[in-house]
Amino acid sequence: MSDREEKFPRTLWIRLIIYLIVGHILAGFIWLLFEVGANQ
């Protein structure tokens, strides 16, 4: 288990999760813009 933890540090996981959340927010915002644009 210690081998796996050394390969993937906690900071890397935190950074990955942050990138995923930010990516989903950006994708949702872009989708929302297209939805509003299509309705107008």
Side-chain angles (χ1 to χ4, degrees):
M1 289 297 284
S2 60
D3 246 316
R4 193 173 287 176
E5 284 173 9
E6 281 172 24
K7 284 179 185 174
F8 295 104
R10 189 169 287 177
T11 50
L12 190 75
W13 283 115
I14 291 164
R15 199 178 296 166
L16 251 169
I17 291 162
I18 290 165
Y19 280 142
L20 276 171
I21 291 164
V22 171
H24 276 85
I25 290 165
L26 280 171
F29 184 70
I30 291 162
W31 176 82
L32 200 75
L33 283 175
F34 277 112
E35 282 290 307
V36 170
N39 287 334
Q40 283 179 352

